[in-house]
Amino acid sequence: MNNHLVLSGEIKRSRQFESPSGIAHTVLTLEHRSQRFEADLPRNVYCLIQVILSGGRVNHAADKLKAGVQVEVEGYLSLQQGRNGQNRLVLHAENVELKT
């Protein structure tokens, strides 16, 4: 089974916290805009997705991941249930690159 996604966009929100078990997490809201062709017609694409970076390997870049920064995120999708009981897809980042 494959589950791999690469998505670029602008960070809209960023927050950092530590879980009760001591794992550092950074949570981003990523806004993606692009244009694709479907059935030979241009289609505007838009999505807003939560991106989760976990563990020490992301700590070195966490301070640079602020609102307004362009990034490319590579990782996998997973279903997450919020405190309100609503399910949503989130992108668990395995790699993040700052774009200039």
Side-chain angles (χ1 to χ4, degrees):
M1 297 265 198
N2 288 322
N3 183 354
H4 182 254
L5 178 69
V6 178
L7 192 65
S8 61
E10 180 180 328
I11 297 173
K12 291 301 189 183
R13 284 186 293 264
S14 175
R15 69 181 175 97
Q16 299 172 3
F17 67 96
E18 193 170 288
S19 70
S21 60
I23 298 172
H25 299 280
T26 300
V27 179
L28 310 173
T29 301
L30 184 68
E31 179 183 60
H32 169 84
R33 295 176 186 268
S34 63
Q35 190 174 75
R36 304 292 300 212
F37 279 87
E38 185 174 1
D40 295 326
L41 296 171
R43 177 187 176 118
N44 291 323
V45 178
Y46 175 82
C47 72
L48 199 60
I49 189 167
Q50 189 173 70
V51 178
I52 301 174
L53 298 91
S54 299
R57 64 183 172 76
V58 297
N59 284 344
H60 68 281
D63 61 326
K64 297 176 183 163
L65 301 174
K66 305 288 184 200
V69 173
Q70 296 286 327
V71 294
E72 182 176 276
V73 180
E74 183 177 359
Y76 62 92
L77 293 174
S78 182
L79 195 64
Q80 183 182 67
Q81 188 174 48
R83 292 181 185 146
N84 61 2
Q86 295 287 324
N87 290 327
R88 65 177 166 207
L89 276 179
V90 296
L91 175 55
H92 287 268
E94 297 173 317
N95 188 43
V96 177
E97 289 185 25
L98 300 175
K99 295 296 189 185
T100 55

